[in-house]
Every structure is written in C-alpha cells, then in structure tokens.
Amino acid sequence: MIYVVIVFLWTAILLYILLGGADFGAGIIELMTAKENKAKTRKTMYKAIGPIWEANHMWLIIAVVILFVGFPKIYATISVYLHIPLVCMLLGIIARGTAFVFRNYDAVKDDMQKVYTPIFVYSSLITPFFLGIIAASAVSGQIDPLANDFLSAFIFSWLNWFSVAVGIFTVSICGFLATIFIIGQTTDEGDRAHFVGKARRAIFFVMGCGALVFLAAAVEHIPLATWIFGDTPGLIAIIAASLSLIVMFYALNKNKPILLRLLAGFQVAMILFAATYSHFPDIVLLKNGGNLSLLIHQGQAKTIATLGYALLIGSLFILPALVYLIYIFQTPKKASQIAE
Amino acid sequence: MDDFLAARLQMAFSLGFHIVFACIGMVMPFFMSVAHFYWLRTKKVVYKDVTKAWSKGVAIFFATGAVSGTVLSFELGLLWPKFMEHAGPIFGMPFSLEGTAFFIEAIALGFYLYGWNRLNPWFHWATGVVVGISGLLSGILVVAANAWMNSPAGFDYIDGQYLNIDPVKAMFNDAWFSQSLHMSVAAFVSTGFAVAGVHALMILKGKNVNFHSKAFKIAAVFGTVAACLQPISGDISAKDVAKRQPEKLAAMEAHFHTERNAPLIIGGIPDTANKTVDYAIKIPGLLSFMATGDFNGEVKGLDSVPKDEQPPVAVTHYAFQIMVGLGMAMVLIAVLYFIALWKKRQWLNSRWLLRLFVVATPLGFIALEAGWTVTEVGRQPWIIRGVMRTADAVTPMPGITYSFYLFTAVYISLAIIVSLLLFRQITMVDELYDSENLSKDKLL
Ligand code: HDD
Ligand code: HEM
Ligand code: HEM
C-alpha cells in the first residue's frame, strides 16, 4: 500500500505543477504581455481557467494531506525549517486566489480592477517562485537540524543560490505551460501566431533557467549533475524530454494543440522524475547527512492502508468528474460560448 | 506577546475566519438549489435572478473559503509541528476523505457556475445540489477531526509512544456525532439568519421587493427551522461534554465544586480567586438534570482536576452564555416567524418583523464563534485532551508574533474587501436583475 500512497503523492505534485502551474503561468504571461494585448490575453485565459482553477489547486491540498497523514515526520520537519518560505507561498496563494475571483465577480467594474489586477499578476509570480524554493531546499541538503542560531536554522535553509535558481526555474516552467495551454484555447489565427511566438521564447527561457540551476548547484557544491545523470533511468528521462522538444517545435509549426499539451506534460513529468528518482525514497536531505525517507518515515501500517484505500476510492469519484469537466469546458468551440 | 500566545491567537483567528466562509460555502448552495428548483418548475424569472445573484456570492465565498482552508492545512504544521507529527497519522482519516469531498465540491462548482445554458437544466441543477452535499460532508469530516482532539481514540498511549493506531476508530470517536450534528445545524442557523437579514433590509428600503421577498423567504425558512433544532442538538452536546470532558462543562458553567443537585448558573461574573460566581441567576438542580437526567445527579466541578489542568473559566463561561443566549433569541424570532406564516399572514408584511430579522443578521455567526471558543478554550491546557499539552506542541521557531500580526492584517483586509464586494453585489441587484422588465439574462 505504501507504494500506492507514494504514487498518489508524486502524481498530486506533478498535477499541481502542470495544472496549477499553467494557472500561475496565466498571470505571469499577463505580466509579460504588451499593454495593447493585455485585455485579450486576459479574456482568453479567463475562459480557459475559470471553470477549473479551483480544482487545479486541490492537488496541492491532496499532497499536503498525504504528507501529514502518511509521512508526519517529513511534514513536521519541512514546516519547521521552511516556515518562512511557506508563509510567503501562502500569502501568494491567498492574494492570487482572492484577486482572481474578485476581479471577475466584482459587480461594479471600476477602478478597483486596477487594484485586483496587479495583485493577481504579481502573486502569480511569487507563489511558484517560493514553491520552487521550498522543493529545492528540501532535496538539496540545506536544512540543518543541528543549527543553533536563527539564521542558519530558519533562513539559510532556504535562502541560497540553488534554491533561488530553482524558484526562478519553476516560474519559467509555469510561463511555458501557460503559453502551450493557451495556444489550444485560441480560435483566431493572428492570436495563435502571437502565442506560438511566445511559446518559442518561453522554451528558450526555460532552458536558460535550467542552465542557471546547474550553475547555482556548482556554486553551492551540490552534486546535481551526478544526481540527475548518474542513474540510467534519470538520464533516459532527460534524454527523452530533450528529444520531445524537437517534436514540440514541429507541433508548434503545425498547429497541433493537443499534441503540444501532451508533450509539455511529458517534459515536466520527466524533469520531475529525474529530479526525484536518484535519491528515492529520500525526499528530504539534511545538512548533517541524515535523510528523511518515504519508506522509513512512513506512518504505521494501518494508517498507510486506510490512507491508500481512501485515495483509491476518492479517485474513483474524482477522476471521471474531473475529466468530464475538462472535456466540456476545454474544447475551444465550446469555451467560446461560456462568456456571455 | 510571547510566541506561544501568538501561535494560539493566529490559529484561532485563522479558524474563526475560515469557518465563516466555510459555513456560507456549505449552506448557500442549498438555498441556491431551492431557488433554482422553483425557477425550473415555475419558470418565474425572479427565481432565476435570485439563483444567479446567490451563485455569484457563493463563488466569492468559496474562493475565500478555499484559500483560507489551504492556509489552515499548512498552519497546522507551521504552528503545531509536534502535534501534527503524532496526531497526523491518527486523525488523518477524516482529512483524507475531506480532500475527496472538497475536490468533488470544487468540480461540481465548476459545472454549476459555468454551466448555465450549456448543460441539461436538471443535470445543471443537480451539480448545485452536489456542491452543497459535498460541502456539508467536508464540514462533518473536519469537525470529526476536531472532535478527536477533545476525545482522543484509536490508539494506545504508552510511555510517550502512540501505538496500535486505528484511524477508523479515531474518526468515530465519542465526540464526533454530537459535534458534527451541532456544527451542521449551526451552519444553517448562522447563514440562514445572515442572508435573511440582508434581504429583509433591502425589502425595508423598498428596493426590488419582489426579488428580495423571494430570497428572504427561502433563507428565513432554513434559518428558523434550524434555529429550533439547535437547542435540542446543544442539549445532546452538553450531556456528551458532561460525560467525556467534565472539566469543560464545569468551565462553561463556572461550576467550581463537585456537587449533587447542582444549580444552572446563568450570567454572572466568575471569581476564580474565591471560586464563586457573582450576580448570577441560579436555578437549583437544573444543571444536574441537564447533564445527567436526574436533579440529584452529581456534576463534577473544576476541583475534580488538578489546578494545572483546569481550563480558563471566565472566557469559556462568557462564550457559553453568549452562544446559548443568542440561540434562544433566535428561537424566539423563529417562533414569531412561524406564527406569522401559519396564523397571522398580515405580520409578514409588517415592518417590525423584518426589522427583527435585520437586527438578527450577525447573531448566528456571533453564536458560532462563541461556540468554538467554548470548545477550544474549554479543552485547554490540552491540544489532545489528556495526552499532549498545547504548550508542548508549538513550533520551536521564534518570531511567531510577527507572523500573527501579518496574518491578522491579511484577514482583516480580506474581510473588508469581501464585505465591499458583497455590498456592491447587493446594490447592483437593481440594475442587474430588474425582474419587472423581464430583461434578458445579462450575466455569465
Ligand atoms: C449558530 C450557532 C450556535 C447556536 C445558536 C448554539 N450553538 Fe452550541 N456550538 C456552536 C454553535 C451554536 C458551534 C460553533 O458550532 C459549536 C462549537 C463546536 C461544535 O461542535 O459546535 C458549539 C458547541 C457547543 C457545545 C460544546 C460541544 C463540545 O465541546 O463538544 C455545547 C455544550 C453547546 N454548543 C450547547 C449549545 C446549547 C445548549 C445551545 C442552545 C441554544 C447552543 N449550543 C446554541
Ligand atoms: C472553525 C472553527 C474553529 C474555531 C473558531 C476554533 C477556534 C479556536 C480557538 C479560539 C483556539 C485557541 C484556544 C486557546 O488557545 O485557548 C483554537 C486552537 C486550536 N484549534 Fe480550533 N477552532 C475551530 C476548529 C478547529 C478544528 C476543526 C481543528 C482541527 C481539526 C482545530 C484545531 C485547533 C488547534 C490545533 C488549535 C491550537 C491549539 C490550542 O490552542 O488548542 N480547531 N481554535
Ligand atoms: C470547523 C471547522 C471547519 C469547517 C466546518 C470547514 C468546512 C469547510 C468547507 C465546507 C469548505 C468548502 C469551502 C467552501 O465551500 O467555501 C472548506 C474549505 C477548506 N477547508 Fe475547511 N473547515 C473547517 C476547518 C478546516 C481546517 C482545520 C482545515 C485544515 C486542515 C481546513 C481545510 C480546508 C481546505 C484546504 C479547504 C479548501 C478546499 C477547497 O478548495 O474546496 N478546514 N472547509
């Protein structure tokens, strides 16, 4: 059963990055769009995201619940040492979720919109940035359980070049996912060309940020390259992701929105796989060399069994409903009928 | 302020904030579905207008409820890591089921809000009902988790170890039923009175009277029926508390000494130093009767537990008085409303009855917050009763005071913006849903 739980945890994290990430990316793109195109971008995005954004963010909750029920020691350690970036991420989540709804449901469309919109776009940037920081700090051996001063226990555990670089990388991934997503959402040829251009730039930006991550790892003496390329499966995953980029450029030219989305999802899944495979089952590495392992620090057998069953039964209800929801609202023709 | 106090206050604020949105998010969909049902049945446009106006409110509240809930799921670890490390695997069952319920709720809401004119009308209606049912289920589940903190079950606590964990037994602990029942009814009372009050005010102002009267009636019927059930459920809760947490009952009642034929103490100022309650009304024997069903039954006083295990008396006692007092006031309003519905139809158009509802707008929510204060403060000094002290659970990270100020500021600003949005929503009703001219559907 423990493996069922771990698969759910991994999948929930992946889906949060993919679906929640595309969602954050929408705000990031809005930030990066020239003024004259902003209104249009926003409208297309809103149509695409409105019905499902709430569900997208449930994956985060599922991941958190799995952590605190199944792996309480891991949840507690992360909560203590990464308190500050977690709070920053939470502030981003609060600001973004509420600003998104406020700006679409305020009955009077007036100057308040000027308040909601910046909050929405900047929090779309901040939230994935800190999410990346948190993930990077957990896996890179920066948490120091033996620290006895405030700075090294609660600040340097996450404020270092590597974590910051991964934060930026996460932001770039979100932007990339959103451009790919929005291409399938456009109905007009001019718009499509516009977003295809954006997607190309986003791909290069992601690669640049990826290089930055390796650079930062070198500065911090983190053996990132060995982790990722050291194991055959990790290596294969990275090669597969790179090869699929070629297919992606082809799909960008040929207007194949579904293929594009599948490829983008595949690439992110492979990156996550490569990043987590090498030290599985450890998910938190500590500075003193200790590790928190999904297998060793799991809850008691009965807890894991009930958690596994709860997740399995829950997904029987959730998945079909979710697929139907996405199906109904995501075909562009149908989506265009939503607004009025 | 020390960090421990800051952590407690931050937790209390976050929950106190979340609960308002959660209650509205779990009850409004039922109101909406009733209005929607009338629309599908009678084809009177006013019902469609009411449904749509309410569904916009639900969207705002749902989003705020969802983000504040997300914050809570992290805050449990951010503030109480030691508690979660041990409690997580034991009381996690309701949380993992709750995750499913939330998910279904979020999906159904997506269908509902964006499904006008796109889904089969009755399927669309049903998705609204699903939003309500899954919301109610999540409420029940999370309260079952809280009940476990009052009445720990499903594990053996031996030498500081938590052994033989059984999450199913933990979920169905002794307190889950009475607490969940009471909470669910409370959600209907508080939301019903709040919504009815707002629409009553608009009727008094003479705005869109047709629209607001229909809305008022739906909310008022839900609120008043629930208000009459609440004392019954409260009595079940009180008997339950007497059995499982006598020290909490003692604090609620400011009942310092264990005795038979114990009086019910109403109001008054507890004097902890002298162990007396000044200026209170005392009804002999009634507390014994309410707690045990026998006027001569023994009711445990605060002196039945050691001094360092006694909950704070004053806060618990005042909060309990507020809850019960307001509960009774709402029963009174409910009775007047029923008389109006069945016997004196002319009252329904009278201004005093509407004014009464306007005055009662916040009462349900005040009672709700007071009730939680009773449960939570009455459990102190324990976070898991009899097993772990709150002070031992708090995070080792210093500087929680700042985090408390920060979150307080965030919650206050959110509360202000949500109120503003709601106000604008209501004042726009005139323009958006002027049913008299049967205008076409302008929204969404
Ligand atoms: C609209 C709100 C509301 C109203 C009118 C009442 N209550 Fe209440 N009460 C709550 C809202 C609430 C609550 C906030 O929902 C609590 C907190 C925890 C819980 O399960 O319900 C609660 C807790 C609570 C408890 C403690 C339960 C526990 O710790 O397990 C008792 C004994 C009562 N209530 C009793 C009453 C009585 C005798 C009432 C008579 C009218 C009453 N309540 C009205
Ligand atoms: C939503 C309604 C709730 C409200 C308004 C509420 C209110 C409060 C209050 C006033 C305190 C502070 C008590 C004190 O320090 O004296 C508190 C503490 C706490 N509550 Fe609740 N509570 C609610 C529900 C819950 C639920 C459902 C849970 C968990 C499943 C929970 C878990 C806690 C924890 C962990 C603490 C901190 C420890 C403590 O001080 O007891 N609460 N809450
Ligand atoms: C008595 C206390 C509580 C009640 C009755 C309650 C009920 C609810 C309900 C009905 C919702 C649905 C949102 C809506 O419709 O507006 C919700 C949202 C949420 N609650 Fe609570 N809750 C309580 C306390 C907690 C606690 C202690 C946690 C932390 C673990 C929590 C976590 C969440 C989360 C994560 C969401 C967001 C789910 C979504 O996106 O739909 N809640 N809560």
PDB file of all heavy atoms in Angstrom, chain B residues 27-44:
ATOM      1  N   VAL B  27     -23.705  26.070   3.058  1.00  0.00           N
ATOM      2  CA  VAL B  27     -25.156  26.221   3.180  1.00  0.00           C
ATOM      3  C   VAL B  27     -25.787  26.945   1.984  1.00  0.00           C
ATOM      4  O   VAL B  27     -26.852  26.554   1.499  1.00  0.00           O
ATOM      5  CB  VAL B  27     -25.499  26.928   4.504  1.00  0.00           C
ATOM      6  CG1 VAL B  27     -26.954  27.289   4.552  1.00  0.00           C
ATOM      7  CG2 VAL B  27     -25.137  26.023   5.671  1.00  0.00           C
ATOM      8  N   MET B  28     -25.103  27.991   1.499  1.00  0.00           N
ATOM      9  CA  MET B  28     -25.671  28.744   0.375  1.00  0.00           C
ATOM     10  C   MET B  28     -26.062  27.877  -0.821  1.00  0.00           C
ATOM     11  O   MET B  28     -27.092  28.120  -1.446  1.00  0.00           O
ATOM     12  CB  MET B  28     -24.692  29.824  -0.104  1.00  0.00           C
ATOM     13  CG  MET B  28     -24.700  31.092   0.699  1.00  0.00           C
ATOM     14  SD  MET B  28     -26.290  31.858   0.814  1.00  0.00           S
ATOM     15  CE  MET B  28     -26.360  32.730  -0.735  1.00  0.00           C
ATOM     16  N   PRO B  29     -25.260  26.854  -1.179  1.00  0.00           N
ATOM     17  CA  PRO B  29     -25.663  26.034  -2.316  1.00  0.00           C
ATOM     18  C   PRO B  29     -27.042  25.418  -2.135  1.00  0.00           C
ATOM     19  O   PRO B  29     -27.772  25.221  -3.113  1.00  0.00           O
ATOM     20  CB  PRO B  29     -24.589  24.954  -2.383  1.00  0.00           C
ATOM     21  CG  PRO B  29     -23.397  25.581  -1.773  1.00  0.00           C
ATOM     22  CD  PRO B  29     -23.923  26.474  -0.693  1.00  0.00           C
ATOM     23  N   PHE B  30     -27.437  25.152  -0.891  1.00  0.00           N
ATOM     24  CA  PHE B  30     -28.780  24.598  -0.679  1.00  0.00           C
ATOM     25  C   PHE B  30     -29.838  25.657  -0.962  1.00  0.00           C
ATOM     26  O   PHE B  30     -30.860  25.376  -1.584  1.00  0.00           O
ATOM     27  CB  PHE B  30     -28.924  24.073   0.751  1.00  0.00           C
ATOM     28  CG  PHE B  30     -28.158  22.804   0.987  1.00  0.00           C
ATOM     29  CD1 PHE B  30     -26.956  22.811   1.665  1.00  0.00           C
ATOM     30  CD2 PHE B  30     -28.635  21.592   0.506  1.00  0.00           C
ATOM     31  CE1 PHE B  30     -26.246  21.646   1.872  1.00  0.00           C
ATOM     32  CE2 PHE B  30     -27.933  20.419   0.708  1.00  0.00           C
ATOM     33  CZ  PHE B  30     -26.730  20.450   1.384  1.00  0.00           C
ATOM     34  N   PHE B  31     -29.583  26.882  -0.500  1.00  0.00           N
ATOM     35  CA  PHE B  31     -30.543  27.970  -0.778  1.00  0.00           C
ATOM     36  C   PHE B  31     -30.675  28.138  -2.293  1.00  0.00           C
ATOM     37  O   PHE B  31     -31.766  28.246  -2.839  1.00  0.00           O
ATOM     38  CB  PHE B  31     -30.062  29.301  -0.193  1.00  0.00           C
ATOM     39  CG  PHE B  31     -29.961  29.342   1.306  1.00  0.00           C
ATOM     40  CD1 PHE B  31     -30.254  28.242   2.087  1.00  0.00           C
ATOM     41  CD2 PHE B  31     -29.577  30.512   1.932  1.00  0.00           C
ATOM     42  CE1 PHE B  31     -30.147  28.290   3.466  1.00  0.00           C
ATOM     43  CE2 PHE B  31     -29.473  30.573   3.310  1.00  0.00           C
ATOM     44  CZ  PHE B  31     -29.750  29.472   4.073  1.00  0.00           C
ATOM     45  N   MET B  32     -29.493  28.155  -2.912  1.00  0.00           N
ATOM     46  CA  MET B  32     -29.439  28.337  -4.353  1.00  0.00           C
ATOM     47  C   MET B  32     -30.232  27.259  -5.068  1.00  0.00           C
ATOM     48  O   MET B  32     -31.003  27.534  -5.984  1.00  0.00           O
ATOM     49  CB  MET B  32     -27.980  28.169  -4.752  1.00  0.00           C
ATOM     50  CG  MET B  32     -27.402  29.185  -5.633  1.00  0.00           C
ATOM     51  SD  MET B  32     -25.603  29.015  -5.510  1.00  0.00           S
ATOM     52  CE  MET B  32     -25.297  27.324  -5.991  1.00  0.00           C
ATOM     53  N   SER B  33     -30.058  26.035  -4.614  1.00  0.00           N
ATOM     54  CA  SER B  33     -30.729  24.939  -5.294  1.00  0.00           C
ATOM     55  C   SER B  33     -32.242  25.027  -5.139  1.00  0.00           C
ATOM     56  O   SER B  33     -32.975  24.644  -6.046  1.00  0.00           O
ATOM     57  CB  SER B  33     -30.258  23.592  -4.745  1.00  0.00           C
ATOM     58  OG  SER B  33     -28.881  23.499  -4.881  1.00  0.00           O
ATOM     59  N   VAL B  34     -32.690  25.536  -3.997  1.00  0.00           N
ATOM     60  CA  VAL B  34     -34.131  25.675  -3.821  1.00  0.00           C
ATOM     61  C   VAL B  34     -34.665  26.726  -4.801  1.00  0.00           C
ATOM     62  O   VAL B  34     -35.644  26.496  -5.513  1.00  0.00           O
ATOM     63  CB  VAL B  34     -34.473  26.059  -2.365  1.00  0.00           C
ATOM     64  CG1 VAL B  34     -35.943  26.421  -2.241  1.00  0.00           C
ATOM     65  CG2 VAL B  34     -34.127  24.916  -1.430  1.00  0.00           C
ATOM     66  N   ALA B  35     -33.972  27.865  -4.856  1.00  0.00           N
ATOM     67  CA  ALA B  35     -34.411  28.918  -5.783  1.00  0.00           C
ATOM     68  C   ALA B  35     -34.375  28.396  -7.219  1.00  0.00           C
ATOM     69  O   ALA B  35     -35.292  28.620  -8.013  1.00  0.00           O
ATOM     70  CB  ALA B  35     -33.511  30.143  -5.641  1.00  0.00           C
ATOM     71  N   HIS B  36     -33.314  27.662  -7.513  1.00  0.00           N
ATOM     72  CA  HIS B  36     -33.129  27.119  -8.856  1.00  0.00           C
ATOM     73  C   HIS B  36     -34.260  26.137  -9.194  1.00  0.00           C
ATOM     74  O   HIS B  36     -34.797  26.123 -10.303  1.00  0.00           O
ATOM     75  CB  HIS B  36     -31.775  26.422  -8.898  1.00  0.00           C
ATOM     76  CG  HIS B  36     -31.271  26.134 -10.278  1.00  0.00           C
ATOM     77  ND1 HIS B  36     -29.960  25.849 -10.535  1.00  0.00           N
ATOM     78  CD2 HIS B  36     -31.891  26.081 -11.471  1.00  0.00           C
ATOM     79  CE1 HIS B  36     -29.807  25.644 -11.834  1.00  0.00           C
ATOM     80  NE2 HIS B  36     -30.968  25.774 -12.414  1.00  0.00           N
ATOM     81  N   PHE B  37     -34.629  25.340  -8.185  1.00  0.00           N
ATOM     82  CA  PHE B  37     -35.714  24.387  -8.367  1.00  0.00           C
ATOM     83  C   PHE B  37     -37.008  25.116  -8.721  1.00  0.00           C
ATOM     84  O   PHE B  37     -37.705  24.752  -9.672  1.00  0.00           O
ATOM     85  CB  PHE B  37     -35.890  23.574  -7.078  1.00  0.00           C
ATOM     86  CG  PHE B  37     -36.984  22.556  -7.148  1.00  0.00           C
ATOM     87  CD1 PHE B  37     -36.749  21.317  -7.725  1.00  0.00           C
ATOM     88  CD2 PHE B  37     -38.245  22.828  -6.629  1.00  0.00           C
ATOM     89  CE1 PHE B  37     -37.761  20.366  -7.786  1.00  0.00           C
ATOM     90  CE2 PHE B  37     -39.257  21.880  -6.690  1.00  0.00           C
ATOM     91  CZ  PHE B  37     -39.009  20.658  -7.273  1.00  0.00           C
ATOM     92  N   TYR B  38     -37.315  26.190  -7.970  1.00  0.00           N
ATOM     93  CA  TYR B  38     -38.527  26.968  -8.274  1.00  0.00           C
ATOM     94  C   TYR B  38     -38.471  27.532  -9.677  1.00  0.00           C
ATOM     95  O   TYR B  38     -39.471  27.588 -10.381  1.00  0.00           O
ATOM     96  CB  TYR B  38     -38.707  28.111  -7.268  1.00  0.00           C
ATOM     97  CG  TYR B  38     -39.212  27.654  -5.921  1.00  0.00           C
ATOM     98  CD1 TYR B  38     -38.646  28.125  -4.744  1.00  0.00           C
ATOM     99  CD2 TYR B  38     -40.296  26.781  -5.831  1.00  0.00           C
ATOM    100  CE1 TYR B  38     -39.112  27.724  -3.507  1.00  0.00           C
ATOM    101  CE2 TYR B  38     -40.764  26.370  -4.596  1.00  0.00           C
ATOM    102  CZ  TYR B  38     -40.171  26.840  -3.434  1.00  0.00           C
ATOM    103  OH  TYR B  38     -40.637  26.446  -2.224  1.00  0.00           O
ATOM    104  N   TRP B  39     -37.284  27.976 -10.078  1.00  0.00           N
ATOM    105  CA  TRP B  39     -37.147  28.534 -11.434  1.00  0.00           C
ATOM    106  C   TRP B  39     -37.456  27.465 -12.468  1.00  0.00           C
ATOM    107  O   TRP B  39     -38.240  27.671 -13.391  1.00  0.00           O
ATOM    108  CB  TRP B  39     -35.753  29.125 -11.626  1.00  0.00           C
ATOM    109  CG  TRP B  39     -35.213  29.107 -13.026  1.00  0.00           C
ATOM    110  CD1 TRP B  39     -34.112  28.431 -13.465  1.00  0.00           C
ATOM    111  CD2 TRP B  39     -35.722  29.795 -14.176  1.00  0.00           C
ATOM    112  NE1 TRP B  39     -33.909  28.644 -14.796  1.00  0.00           N
ATOM    113  CE2 TRP B  39     -34.886  29.480 -15.269  1.00  0.00           C
ATOM    114  CE3 TRP B  39     -36.817  30.638 -14.398  1.00  0.00           C
ATOM    115  CZ2 TRP B  39     -35.097  29.967 -16.553  1.00  0.00           C
ATOM    116  CZ3 TRP B  39     -37.031  31.126 -15.680  1.00  0.00           C
ATOM    117  CH2 TRP B  39     -36.178  30.793 -16.744  1.00  0.00           C
ATOM    118  N   LEU B  40     -36.888  26.271 -12.282  1.00  0.00           N
ATOM    119  CA  LEU B  40     -37.113  25.228 -13.283  1.00  0.00           C
ATOM    120  C   LEU B  40     -38.579  24.797 -13.296  1.00  0.00           C
ATOM    121  O   LEU B  40     -39.134  24.463 -14.334  1.00  0.00           O
ATOM    122  CB  LEU B  40     -36.218  24.021 -13.007  1.00  0.00           C
ATOM    123  CG  LEU B  40     -34.722  24.251 -13.242  1.00  0.00           C
ATOM    124  CD1 LEU B  40     -33.917  23.038 -12.817  1.00  0.00           C
ATOM    125  CD2 LEU B  40     -34.452  24.588 -14.691  1.00  0.00           C
ATOM    126  N   ARG B  41     -39.211  24.806 -12.123  1.00  0.00           N
ATOM    127  CA  ARG B  41     -40.594  24.379 -12.018  1.00  0.00           C
ATOM    128  C   ARG B  41     -41.590  25.418 -12.493  1.00  0.00           C
ATOM    129  O   ARG B  41     -42.512  25.147 -13.248  1.00  0.00           O
ATOM    130  CB  ARG B  41     -40.913  24.017 -10.550  1.00  0.00           C
ATOM    131  CG  ARG B  41     -40.755  22.555 -10.243  1.00  0.00           C
ATOM    132  CD  ARG B  41     -41.717  21.765 -11.093  1.00  0.00           C
ATOM    133  NE  ARG B  41     -41.286  20.393 -11.277  1.00  0.00           N
ATOM    134  CZ  ARG B  41     -41.520  19.415 -10.403  1.00  0.00           C
ATOM    135  NH1 ARG B  41     -42.141  19.661  -9.288  1.00  0.00           N
ATOM    136  NH2 ARG B  41     -41.112  18.208 -10.666  1.00  0.00           N
ATOM    137  N   THR B  42     -41.400  26.674 -11.981  1.00  0.00           N
ATOM    138  CA  THR B  42     -42.431  27.686 -12.242  1.00  0.00           C
ATOM    139  C   THR B  42     -42.095  28.577 -13.426  1.00  0.00           C
ATOM    140  O   THR B  42     -42.955  29.284 -13.928  1.00  0.00           O
ATOM    141  CB  THR B  42     -42.602  28.606 -11.026  1.00  0.00           C
ATOM    142  OG1 THR B  42     -41.377  29.324 -10.844  1.00  0.00           O
ATOM    143  CG2 THR B  42     -42.909  27.822  -9.766  1.00  0.00           C
ATOM    144  N   LYS B  43     -40.815  28.581 -13.838  1.00  0.00           N
ATOM    145  CA  LYS B  43     -40.349  29.470 -14.905  1.00  0.00           C
ATOM    146  C   LYS B  43     -40.593  30.934 -14.589  1.00  0.00           C
ATOM    147  O   LYS B  43     -40.765  31.760 -15.486  1.00  0.00           O
ATOM    148  CB  LYS B  43     -41.015  29.110 -16.254  1.00  0.00           C
ATOM    149  CG  LYS B  43     -40.580  27.760 -16.785  1.00  0.00           C
ATOM    150  CD  LYS B  43     -39.144  27.808 -17.284  1.00  0.00           C
ATOM    151  CE  LYS B  43     -38.590  26.385 -17.464  1.00  0.00           C
ATOM    152  NZ  LYS B  43     -37.150  26.323 -17.479  1.00  0.00           N
ATOM    153  N   LYS B  44     -40.651  31.275 -13.301  1.00  0.00           N
ATOM    154  CA  LYS B  44     -40.732  32.691 -12.947  1.00  0.00           C
ATOM    155  C   LYS B  44     -39.312  33.225 -12.915  1.00  0.00           C
ATOM    156  O   LYS B  44     -38.475  32.745 -12.150  1.00  0.00           O
ATOM    157  CB  LYS B  44     -41.363  32.857 -11.563  1.00  0.00           C
ATOM    158  CG  LYS B  44     -42.852  32.647 -11.562  1.00  0.00           C
ATOM    159  CD  LYS B  44     -43.428  33.096 -10.224  1.00  0.00           C
ATOM    160  CE  LYS B  44     -44.893  32.758 -10.149  1.00  0.00           C
ATOM    161  NZ  LYS B  44     -45.309  32.377  -8.805  1.00  0.00           N
TER     162      LYS B  44
END
